[in-house]
Amino acid sequence: MAKKGKRLLKSREGIDRLASYDVAEAVKMLKERSNAKFDETFEIAMNLGVDPRHADQQVRGVVSLPNGTGKTVRVAVFARGAKAEEALAAGADVVGAEDLAERIQGGTIDFDRAIATPDMMPIVGRLGRVLGPRGLMPNPRLGTVTNDVAQAIEAAKGGQVEFRVEKAGIIHAGVGKASFDDEALVGNIRAFYDAIVRAKPAGAKGNYVKRVSLSTTMGPGVRLDPSSIGDTVAA
């Protein structure tokens, strides 16, 4: 058996795959089993009682994790003139207009988040087939089409996470690193979970949060008890 397979089997020892764990206990268990040579990412996955094929069952939005993601986020900004200068001053990694669009069309996508001022949308709109499938298309509802580029850049680099339900009704995201302390990870998990509950769409019927699991990049996954994270129904 490959070394990687043996390590994963060993990391599963002591974990009941059918049990649902308290979130704090799950974080502790996974951290104890995190032995990769890099800082592993903690990932949450939520199975929701929605059918994303219907417009009234979409789940999409953004949430700011209180303790950051631990990830260095590269931000591209579509802007020109004073707004381009503002973006550079605020720490944007890539700034441009038509020139940036041409780079992207040519296959160079060296950023994790894209922001655009409203006047840039005619240019950005032509990139929908490239940016859309990658989840990089600026969207006013997500705060990434705005004239306040400095604030948007700060949010993107400071722990803001976008989420969008996939075809099978699953949402997943990174919620921190193994190097975080337990309280920071639990706080981020609760913030993400609460955001998903608040984003419950009007068309969702029956049990909304069906299953929640937590895993690390190279480690096993454990099922979480939703009641240990937060309310399962939006107030």
Side-chain angles (χ1 to χ4, degrees):
M1 182 181 292
K3 185 177 180 180
K4 180 180 176 181
K6 289 181 179 179
R7 186 172 64 225
L8 183 59
L9 282 176
K10 185 171 180 60
S11 69
R12 287 176 177 162
E13 292 178 1
I15 293 178
D16 184 346
R17 302 192 72 181
L18 299 179
S20 293
Y21 291 91
D22 175 272
V23 61
E25 182 183 6
V27 165
K28 185 174 184 294
M29 291 171 61
L30 292 178
K31 284 191 71 173
E32 289 173 349
R33 291 163 172 78
S34 177
N35 55 13
K37 294 180 180 179
F38 62 93
D39 196 5
E40 295 184 62
T41 297
F42 268 70
E43 296 201 5
I44 188 171
M46 297 178 64
N47 295 62
L48 305 178
V50 299
D51 184 346
R53 291 175 298 179
H54 301 289
D56 65 347
Q57 295 188 47
Q58 288 290 326
V59 182
R60 187 178 186 186
V62 294
V63 56
S64 292
L65 301 182
N67 302 298
T69 63
K71 178 183 176 183
T72 299
V73 178
R74 286 183 58 83
V75 177
V77 178
F78 290 88
R80 50 164 71 97
K83 287 298 176 182
E85 293 176 9
E86 181 183 334
L88 286 169
D93 299 280
V94 186
V95 180
E98 289 87 355
D99 56 330
L100 177 54
E102 288 177 10
R103 285 180 57 190
I104 292 168
Q105 290 281 24
T108 300
I109 302 176
D110 53 354
F111 52 87
D112 309 295
R113 186 74 62 86
I115 296 165
T117 54
D119 61 303
M120 289 286 101
M121 288 312 292
I123 295 171
V124 178
R126 297 197 291 267
L127 301 172
R129 290 185 179 179
V130 181
L131 298 180
R134 294 172 170 82
L136 293 172
M137 193 68 179
N139 186 311
R141 289 190 302 165
L142 302 178
T144 47
V145 177
T146 176
N147 276 315
D148 192 351
V149 293
Q151 194 280 329
I153 293 166
E154 181 182 358
K157 287 181 172 285
Q160 190 183 70
V161 173
E162 292 186 14
F163 57 83
R164 184 175 187 175
V165 68
E166 298 175 355
K167 289 181 180 179
I170 299 172
I171 277 183
H172 59 83
V175 289
K177 295 288 188 177
S179 58
F180 286 20
D181 63 41
D182 290 16
E183 287 186 7
L185 284 165
V186 170
N188 279 356
I189 292 165
R190 285 185 168 141
F192 186 84
Y193 179 91
D194 288 346
I196 302 304
V197 171
R198 289 195 303 271
K200 180 180 179 179
K205 307 298 181 185
N207 186 15
Y208 177 52
V209 179
K210 298 172 70 173
R211 179 175 175 177
V212 186
S213 59
L214 189 68
S215 63
T216 53
T217 307
M218 302 294 289
V222 297
R223 188 179 297 191
L224 301 183
D225 175 5
S227 67
S228 74
I229 313 172
D231 293 331
T232 57
V233 180

